[in-house]
Amino acid sequence: MAGLLSFRSRGILPMVPFYRCYIAEISMSELRSDRTIAAGAQRQLVVSAEFFALGVSTIFGLLGLGATAAGQAFRTWREELAYVPAAVNFIFGRHFLGILRTRS
């Protein structure tokens, strides 16, 4: 639902004809000529859009699987890894207070 709402926003909707032309490899004049798109261009548009959606879904699915695997791998070290951001925060705090100087 959020994707559909963002698609209909004022910033995205004007770009749709250009995106369709880019995907179908047709010009804006061909798109606007008689309000119809050639059958070959329509087929190209549909196939290209399907492959684009498949590619995006695949990439985000794999990224999700990778993040889940990394989370499961680090789960056993969760308590020890909690000290890393604490140490970084400690160092940044010392720098902010002027206790720890860095070269500039």
Side-chain angles (χ1 to χ4, degrees):
M1 185 61 124
L4 290 174
L5 288 175
S6 67
F7 176 75
R8 296 192 49 102
S9 68
R10 291 185 299 188
I12 299 296
L13 206 51
M15 293 189 303
V16 171
F18 301 106
Y19 176 72
R20 287 178 57 188
C21 289
Y22 177 74
I23 292 289
E25 296 177 357
I26 61 174
S27 67
M28 284 297 292
S29 60
E30 289 174 316
L31 180 64
R32 292 184 179 173
S33 62
D34 57 358
R35 294 286 193 205
T36 59
I37 302 174
Q42 283 182 344
R43 184 174 49 251
Q44 171 108 17
L45 176 64
V46 170
V47 169
S48 297
E50 287 176 350
F51 276 116
F52 175 78
L54 181 65
V56 167
S57 300
T58 302
I59 293 300
F60 282 114
L62 291 173
L63 284 173
L65 286 173
T68 300
Q72 292 298 324
F74 290 130
R75 180 184 233 176
T76 57
W77 298 94
R78 187 171 74 185
E79 199 168 309
E80 290 82 1
L81 289 174
Y83 291 109
V84 173
V88 170
N89 199 10
F90 181 78
I91 292 169
F92 284 166
R94 296 291 181 241
H95 176 69
F96 180 73
L97 291 172
I99 297 170
L100 180 65
R101 302 274 180 179
T102 58
R103 294 182 209 179
S104 357

